[in-house]
Amino acid sequence: IVLVMILGIVLGSLAVEFAHMHAIQTGLQNSTDAAALAGAYDLWFDLDKADDNALAVAALNRVDGRSIS
């Protein structure tokens, strides 16, 4: 019985860890997409500001409480 309980706790903690990892991956993808879109938008209007604006948008996004840039 104790072995089954320990196995349940281990599997439960792994499930929580994988869910957290998936949430971080999704947040990083969304932040990267937003920065890429901001930079791509500026490619049409102001080529010199494209990099700066993409980096500024990336700095505004936070994933898991941390800035991504």
Side-chain angles (χ1 to χ4, degrees):
I1 275 282
V2 173
L3 183 61
V4 172
M5 289 175 52
I6 292 173
L7 185 61
I9 291 171
V10 168
L11 289 177
S13 63
L14 280 174
V16 169
E17 191 63 34
F18 281 124
H20 183 246
M21 183 177 63
H22 185 266
I24 290 174
Q25 179 184 6
T26 302
L28 287 171
Q29 184 67 51
N30 289 340
S31 298
T32 304
D33 289 344
L37 286 172
Y41 178 80
D42 280 342
L43 286 176
W44 290 102
F45 301 107
D46 192 358
L47 188 60
D48 295 329
K49 284 188 169 181
D51 286 341
D52 295 334
N53 196 17
L55 290 173
V57 169
L60 290 174
N61 290 299
R62 298 179 68 80
V63 177
D64 199 31
R66 299 181 188 138
S67 180
I68 63 167
S69 59

